[in-house]
């Protein structure tokens, strides 16, 4: 019942904006050229002042009145005055203002659409907290798995490093050196994935925090303060990922003994 009530309230708020949007002229619609004379109506008289200030009248729109203020007189004597069309500079300014107005209206409509989706998705604040906790745990579980894979790569690196140091034959030393380089490339790639997942985790937290704040604001609850700039969380020594090892120096192959 609460959810239905909230949806009805939000719909009532959206209706005026939707009506306003319908009245907004289409920016792509072709506008009349102010340099073209309007269509003359039978029995009507058109008057204006020409460039010299002389009054000009005719039963068809005079050429001297194009792009100027003019009066339209009906057969019954009713007078309708038309202002001069805007200059090129004024028209450009009006167009910029119209585009700005449409952009502002779009922002309002997008916000109202998101608000409606928020009320449809969650019945109360507790559902937002539950969803946030579930998604955060899934992301942290994935990060923990990646850290485990990195630890395995680090152990493998230690083994390969030891093998490279112990290598005596040229072929064995070369093979150990290639294996080390491959391992170091894997470590670098693994760390990049971990960093990406950590950034995603912060984005997830910020998303649900903002949804909760907005939900409380819509429903009349006490809105949470706007989220501050995210700071890097402290990482304990136990969970801090180890840095990738520096490339190991591969020992030069032993020189063959000189023949006696």
């Amino acid at each position: 019942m609460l959810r239905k009530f909230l949806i009805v309230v939000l719909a009532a708020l959206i209706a005026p904006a939707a009506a306003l949007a319908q009245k907004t002229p289409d920016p792509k619609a072709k506008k009349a050229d102010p340099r073209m004379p309007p269509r003359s109506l039978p029995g009507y008289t058109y008057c204006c002042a020409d460039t010299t200030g002389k009054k000009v009248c005719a039963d068809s729109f005079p050429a001297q009145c194009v792009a100027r203020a003019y009066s339209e007189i009906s057969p019954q004597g009713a007078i309708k005055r038309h202002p001069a069309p805007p200059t090129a500079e004024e028209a450009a300014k009006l167009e910029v203002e119209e585009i700005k107005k449409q952009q502002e209206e779009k922002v309002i409509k997008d916000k109202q659409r998101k608000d409606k989706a928020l009320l449809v998705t969650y019945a109360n604040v507790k559902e937002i907290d539950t969803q946030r906790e579930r998604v955060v745990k899934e992301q942290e579980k994935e990060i923990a798995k990646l850290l485990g894979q990195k630890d395995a790569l680090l152990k493998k690196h230690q083994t390969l490093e030891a093998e490279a140091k112990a290598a005596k034959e040229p072929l064995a030393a070369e093979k150990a050196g290639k294996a080390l380089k491959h391992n170091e490339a894997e470590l670098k790639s693994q760390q990049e994935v971990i960093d990406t997942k950590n950034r995603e985790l912060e984005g997830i937290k910020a998303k649900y925090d903002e949804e909760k704040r907005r939900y409380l604001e819509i429903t009349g609850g006490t809105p949470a303060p706007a989220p501050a700039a995210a700071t890097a969380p402290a990482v304990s020594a136990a969970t801090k990922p180890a840095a990738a090892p520096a490339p190991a120096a591969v020992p030069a192959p032993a020189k063959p003994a000189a023949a006696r």
Side-chain angles (χ1 to χ4, degrees), residues 40-139:
S40 299
L41 300 174
Y44 279 71
T45 301
Y46 302 90
C47 298
C48 73
D50 64 13
T51 54
T52 64
K54 181 181 178 181
K55 187 175 182 180
V56 179
C57 294
D59 54 3
S60 61
F61 196 83
Q64 299 94 318
C65 296
V66 174
R68 304 183 66 80
Y70 68 93
S71 298
E72 182 182 74
I73 306 171
S74 71
Q76 293 76 28
I79 300 175
K80 183 177 180 181
R81 303 187 187 282
H82 298 268
T87 63
E89 184 179 351
E90 291 171 340
K93 184 178 179 181
L94 288 172
E95 186 175 359
V96 170
E97 291 175 353
E98 181 64 25
I99 292 174
K100 182 180 178 181
K101 179 183 176 183
Q102 291 173 3
Q103 289 173 341
E104 291 172 349
E105 290 175 353
K106 183 178 183 300
V107 170
I108 293 173
K109 289 172 67 177
D110 288 344
K111 185 177 181 181
Q112 290 172 338
R113 176 182 55 78
K114 290 178 181 179
D115 288 348
K116 184 176 180 180
L118 196 62
L119 294 175
V120 171
T121 304
Y122 304 109
N124 49 58
V125 175
K126 185 178 179 181
E127 287 190 3
I128 300 177
D129 291 334
T130 302
Q131 177 73 358
R132 180 188 190 276
E133 183 180 1
R134 183 185 66 80
V135 178
V136 167
K137 281 184 177 180
E138 288 178 356
Q139 187 75 359

Side-chain angles (χ1 to χ4, degrees), residues 212-249:
K212 181 177 180 179
R213 185 197 67 79
R214 182 59 184 160
Y215 189 94
L216 287 168
E217 191 174 56
I218 296 171
T219 57
T222 304
T231 55
V235 182
S236 64
T239 58
K240 185 177 180 180

